[in-house]
């Protein structure tokens, strides 16, 4: 599924409970993923968040149990609480920036609650997660 190229944000709960959503192409000028945007999209397998997105809202990917791969842009500044809550198969996060840029992102304590993710792959190496 591809979204209209002029969309600047994915509104709160826009794709809530979309059981058949497996893949989505986000528009290049997107800047924000609001709270719960893809909450309970249990078939979503991977997502590439485009350059320009600065914030991933709370519970954006809550209960996306099929999600295994997320690519985050170096423009990211903030990941809110429980953004990836219960993404129980999330095994790879690719961050397009450096390790220093990853560490500078404000991340609320529970941003990855209930996920098995142990590291983030950055452009200059991996960052281990606590």
């Amino acid at each position: 599924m591809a979204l209209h190229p002029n969309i600047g944000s994915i509104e709160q709960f826009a794709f809530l409970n979309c059981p058949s959503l497996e893949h989505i192409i986000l528009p290049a000028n997107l800047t924000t993923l609001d709270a719960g945007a893809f909450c309970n999209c249990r078939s979503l397998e991977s997502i590439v968040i485009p350059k320009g997105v600065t914030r991933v809202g709370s519970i954006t990917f809550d209960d996306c149990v099929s999600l295994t791969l997320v690519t985050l842009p170096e423009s990211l500044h903030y990941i809110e609480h429980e953004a990836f809550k219960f993404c129980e198969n999330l095994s790879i996060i690719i961050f397009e920036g450096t390790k220093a840029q990853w560490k500078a992102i404000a991340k609320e304590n529970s941003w990855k609650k209930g996920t098995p993710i142990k590291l983030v792959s950055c452009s200059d190496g991996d960052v281990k997660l606590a």
Side-chain angles (χ1 to χ4, degrees):
M1 167 186 239
L3 298 178
H4 192 281
N6 292 332
I7 293 175
S9 69
I10 306 294
E11 299 296 325
Q12 189 172 14
F13 301 112
F15 293 93
L16 176 66
N17 297 323
C18 288
S20 61
L21 182 65
E22 294 177 7
H23 303 282
I24 189 164
I25 299 170
L26 298 176
N29 65 329
L30 192 70
T31 58
T32 304
L33 295 174
D34 283 337
F38 296 96
C39 186
N40 205 30
C41 290
R42 299 180 64 85
S43 296
L44 184 64
E45 297 173 358
S46 65
I47 193 160
V48 176
I49 298 173
K51 292 171 178 51
V53 171
T54 58
R55 180 179 60 85
V56 176
S58 61
I59 65 170
T60 295
F61 297 100
D62 182 16
D63 207 27
C64 290
V65 296
S66 296
L67 190 64
T68 59
L69 171 65
V70 174
T71 302
L72 299 172
E74 65 179 295
S75 58
L76 197 63
H77 296 294
Y78 193 61
I79 302 175
E80 292 184 8
H81 75 281
E82 300 180 349
F84 296 96
K85 180 181 174 186
F86 299 134
C87 293
E88 57 193 39
N89 289 300
L90 182 59
S91 57
I92 303 170
I93 291 181
I94 297 171
F95 177 63
E96 295 176 331
T98 64
K99 293 188 288 187
Q101 288 173 307
W102 173 257
K103 291 176 182 176
I105 295 171
K107 296 175 275 304
E108 293 190 14
N109 289 338
S110 60
W111 71 274
K112 61 181 183 76
K113 180 181 180 179
T115 69
I117 194 75
K118 300 288 185 223
L119 60 87
V120 174
S121 179
C122 300
S123 62
D124 60 347
D126 296 336
V127 173
K128 291 183 180 179
L129 302 175

